[in-house]
Amino acid sequence: MKSGIPAVTPWFVSVFRAVIGFLLLCHGTSTLFAWPVAPWNGAATPFTEWPGGWAGSIELVAGVLLILGLFTRSAAFVASGTLAVAYFWKHQPDGALPIGNEGESAVLFCWALLALVFLGPGRVALDRLIGRSAPEREPSPRITESVS
């Protein structure tokens, strides 16, 4: 089991990236278009409204880019920063801990997106297809020293 994990990791990162991208896209469309569900205020937020419309626009664009695996690290970095700002600006003033200030989703998104900055797009991504991302290296075999 342990030896199979490195082999599937790049594939798992692709799935992880696409899921995070899809959830981020849904968050953006909910904010901007009140679809698939209306946001907390029950209405769509115009693109030009600060800060909600800007955040929703970033979530929408970054979500699409992450689903496609295009400009993955840049999109994840910008979106991670957006979610960090959202947490500290909107949620943190209501309490010190995310569980008490309803900021869990902002924190989870922020850290998941930051992880994608370091993990990259994974095996299945447009970044890899157009050569923007280095291919995953195969795990090198361990050299063990024999004891005589």
Side-chain angles (χ1 to χ4, degrees):
M1 171 88 173
K2 188 176 179 181
S3 64
I5 291 175
V8 299
T9 298
W11 297 95
F12 175 80
V13 170
S14 295
V15 173
F16 179 75
R17 172 190 41 79
V19 169
I20 294 299
F22 175 74
L23 294 173
L24 193 63
L25 173 66
C26 288
H27 203 269
T29 59
S30 291
T31 300
L32 296 172
F33 310 119
W35 182 87
V37 295
W40 60 272
N41 65 359
T45 304
F47 287 97
T48 56
E49 185 176 305
W50 176 259
W54 287 67
S57 298
I58 290 169
E59 292 164 351
L60 185 141
V61 171
V64 169
L65 291 173
L66 290 172
I67 290 169
L68 297 173
L70 187 60
F71 305 109
T72 301
R73 292 178 195 270
S74 300
F77 182 75
V78 170
S80 178
T82 300
L83 272 296
V85 168
Y87 176 76
F88 286 109
W89 207 347
K90 182 180 181 331
H91 299 285
Q92 201 276 329
D94 296 335
L97 298 175
I99 194 74
N101 62 27
E102 298 181 355
E104 302 97 329
S105 65
V107 171
L108 284 169
F109 267 123
C110 178
W111 284 100
L113 290 161
L114 189 61
L116 286 171
V117 172
F118 293 96
L119 293 172
R123 181 65 49 114
V124 181
L126 287 180
D127 279 340
R128 288 179 49 86
L129 186 66
I130 63 174
R132 287 188 36 82
S133 179
E136 305 329 342
R137 292 186 312 192
E138 295 299 322
S140 57
R142 288 194 173 165
I143 300 173
T144 57
E145 195 173 304
S146 61
V147 178
S148 330

